[in-house]
Amino acid sequence: MLPPIIKLLRPKQWSKNVFVFLPLFFDKKFTDVNLLGLTVVCFVIFSLAASAVYCLNDILDRHADALHPEKCKRPIASGAVSVSAGWAAMALCALLAVGLTLWLLPQLTWLLLGYMALNVAYSLWLKHVSLIDMLIVASFYVMRVLAGAMTGDIVPSQWIVVMTFLLALFLVLGKRRDDVMLQADG
């Protein structure tokens, strides 16, 4: 079992960041060890950025999460991690993500900052706006693909962008359906 502070970072969700590898795969550069290594760094950067946002989201939603049948088990909602520790974890992850980007992949700086800013806006407000929330979540997947393309100096095709967006939208719609079904059963 993961310690609560690690659980707060939601490492299970980092799997979404494998989308940064898609441009490398589809451009047949997966065997380029240098590009693969840089893309692993990109994966770590986006995992840290996502963890920072998960911390923020859990801090902001702690009262509502405490009333939810599943989300009440989250570290902050359950009281296993303090709000101040959540802020510290968020700041550390965000600083590491930005620092690694500036140091190793400076070409990603604006994309990463945009990704993080949109995530903050999503956590604060946009997740409560129907349809817009799903479009934004789907766009996060596209941003990961674009980050992978920028890391490998690959021009992404229109198809990879469109198909990523549509696949992500399908996944988001499926998750929203499951959430609605859970509420209907409760």
Side-chain angles (χ1 to χ4, degrees):
M1 180 141 184
L2 293 174
I5 194 73
I6 301 298
K7 191 176 175 186
L8 174 65
L9 304 180
R10 298 192 204 172
K12 289 180 183 178
Q13 298 295 327
W14 294 347
S15 61
K16 296 173 184 173
N17 296 316
V18 299
F19 277 73
V20 300
F21 292 98
L22 290 180
L24 214 58
F25 176 77
F26 286 112
D27 208 45
K28 298 181 179 104
K29 293 184 178 176
F30 217 71
T31 56
D32 184 323
V33 177
N34 184 46
L35 287 181
L36 187 58
L38 289 173
T39 307
V40 168
V41 171
C42 181
F43 174 87
V44 169
I45 288 168
F46 271 78
S47 296
L48 287 166
S51 288
V53 174
Y54 289 135
C55 292
L56 174 65
N57 186 64
D58 285 2
I59 291 166
L60 296 175
D61 292 350
R62 65 188 180 275
H63 300 298
D65 287 353
L67 302 174
H68 190 275
E70 285 300 314
K71 294 178 182 180
C72 68
K73 298 172 188 166
R74 289 183 175 168
I76 292 179
S78 69
V81 173
S82 69
V83 172
S84 59
W87 284 116
M90 181 199 77
L92 180 62
C93 287
L95 289 171
L96 284 171
V98 172
L100 282 171
T101 302
L102 291 171
W103 180 36
L104 298 171
L105 295 171
Q107 70 271 28
L108 291 185
T109 302
W110 289 110
L111 180 63
L112 178 73
L113 292 175
Y115 172 83
M116 292 174 74
L118 189 57
N119 263 291
V120 169
Y122 178 82
S123 291
L124 291 172
W125 173 60
L126 295 173
K127 69 180 174 183
H128 303 294
V129 181
S130 294
L131 298 179
I132 298 294
D133 69 324
M134 293 183 286
L135 296 174
I136 289 172
V137 172
S139 72
F140 290 148
Y141 285 87
V142 172
M143 291 174 97
R144 290 174 178 109
V145 168
L146 294 176
M150 290 173 76
T151 298
D153 198 25
I154 297 167
V155 177
S157 72
Q158 296 170 348
W159 287 107
I160 193 171
V161 172
V162 170
M163 295 310 292
T164 298
F165 183 79
L166 292 174
L167 173 63
L169 196 56
F170 175 75
L171 295 171
V172 172
L173 286 168
K175 184 173 182 340
R176 294 297 183 264
R177 181 190 173 279
D178 288 347
D179 292 344
V180 169
M181 298 301 283
L182 179 65
Q183 287 178 350
D185 290 342

